[in-house]
Amino acid sequence: VIFACLIGLTTIVVYELDAKPNFQIGQSNEQSELQVKTRNQSRADAIGCLSSAIDSNIRHMVLPPSGSLPDWLVCCQTTKGPLSVAVRQNWAPIGAKRFLQLVDDGHFDVGVPLFRCLRNFICQFGLSSQPERNRRRYRAIPDDSPWLPQGPSNRERDGRVRFPKGYLAYAGAGHNSRSIQLIIALQDSRQLAGGSPWEVPWGELLGNASFATLDQIYTGYREK
């Protein structure tokens, strides 16, 4: 049996982050508390969703894009614990919109296995455990504009790596190839987002519990 970390809408809560961080890279005040809004707080609490979070720019190599689009928090219950995914629409509007569409469409309703989990690198997910769901016609979406510095010379800056642990992006195979398959960084990565157009981050994990869940993911199957 292939190890599966299931992300299911039967245990998912989506809610808007109530505040945006207001800081610049290098400022002494590098944290901002985010309150979250949900119409079903008891359900959110039951599955380990965040009720507030400390948002920090300490992990980002450069200041992420900002704008008027709201941030959303998608809380997923997995077989290894909760994952609280902050969907940053201003980072990658097209990629973020597709992920939220998948959530709204119920793509994760019956569970989505994590696969191609590579030690100290990434884990991939997005294919449903029910093949008929994967046959839905999700057309490939255009690439978002890259906002991370690219190329080998920009893998790290001031002790911060380009693609930190918990960043999320798409798997792809060329320009405008993003569809339903996603990747999450299991550890800080200097290689990701170095030039591949599908690797523009659209979100990140928040909360200690989410990172504890990442550390529990089994990587022994490697490319399987």
Side-chain angles (χ1 to χ4, degrees), residues 9 11-15 38 40 43-44 47 49 73-76:
L9 269 178
T11 52
I12 204 166
V13 179
V14 184
Y15 40 93
T38 176
N40 193 342
R43 183 182 178 200
I47 63 174
C49 289
L73 195 66
V74 178
C75 183
C76 307

Side-chain angles (χ1 to χ4, degrees), residues 5-13 43 47 75-78 108-112:
C5 182
L6 303 181
I7 302 174
L9 269 178
T10 55
T11 52
I12 204 166
V13 179
R43 183 182 178 200
I47 63 174
C75 183
C76 307
Q77 180 63 28
T78 81
F108 301 108
D109 277 3
V110 295
V112 171

Side-chain angles (χ1 to χ4, degrees), residues 8-202:
L9 269 178
T10 55
T11 52
I12 204 166
V13 179
V14 184
Y15 40 93
E16 186 176 355
L17 293 174
D18 198 26
K20 288 183 176 294
N22 183 18
F23 46 58
Q24 299 289 326
I25 292 291
Q27 284 185 344
S28 58
N29 181 16
E30 292 186 318
Q31 294 186 337
S32 175
E33 185 172 5
L34 299 174
Q35 299 297 322
V36 299
K37 298 183 295 187
T38 176
R39 289 187 292 271
N40 193 342
Q41 189 61 53
S42 60
R43 183 182 178 200
D45 292 342
I47 63 174
C49 289
L50 295 174
S51 59
S52 66
I54 299 299
D55 202 10
S56 172
N57 73 341
I58 295 174
R59 59 197 257 101
H60 305 308
M61 189 175 79
V62 298
L63 188 69
S66 60
S68 60
L69 295 173
D71 292 332
W72 292 88
L73 195 66
V74 178
C75 183
C76 307
Q77 180 63 28
T78 81
T79 54
K80 293 297 181 180
L83 290 176
S84 295
V85 179
V87 182
R88 307 293 196 186
Q89 293 193 91
N90 294 296
W91 292 10
I94 301 171
K97 182 178 179 180
R98 168 55 59 86
F99 177 73
L100 292 174
Q101 177 191 2
L102 292 171
V103 172
D104 289 340
D105 286 353
H107 183 72
F108 301 108
D109 277 3
V110 295
V112 171
L114 294 178
F115 65 98
R116 194 174 169 248
C117 297
L118 306 176
R119 184 181 180 186
N120 295 328
F121 188 38
I122 63 165
C123 206
Q124 190 166 329
F125 66 100
L127 294 176
S128 175
S129 57
Q130 291 190 351
E132 60 272 18
R133 291 180 178 268
N134 298 321
R135 289 193 286 268
R136 292 181 179 177
R137 301 296 293 179
Y138 288 107
R139 299 182 62 161
I141 56 177
D143 296 326
D144 281 294
S145 298
W147 56 271
L148 287 169
Q150 298 182 334
S153 62
N154 289 307
R155 291 177 174 175
E156 186 172 348
R157 184 178 297 177
D158 298 325
R160 299 180 176 101
V161 300
R162 183 164 50 206
F163 204 99
K165 180 180 180 179
Y167 265 26
L168 292 109
Y170 282 83
H175 287 284
N176 304 318
S177 63
R178 300 180 301 171
S179 181
I180 64 172
Q181 296 203 51
L182 308 148
I183 60 170
I184 186 168
L186 299 180
Q187 292 293 337
D188 292 348
S189 173
R190 293 166 175 79
Q191 288 74 38
L192 291 171
S196 299
W198 56 89
E199 291 176 355
V200 176
W202 54 263

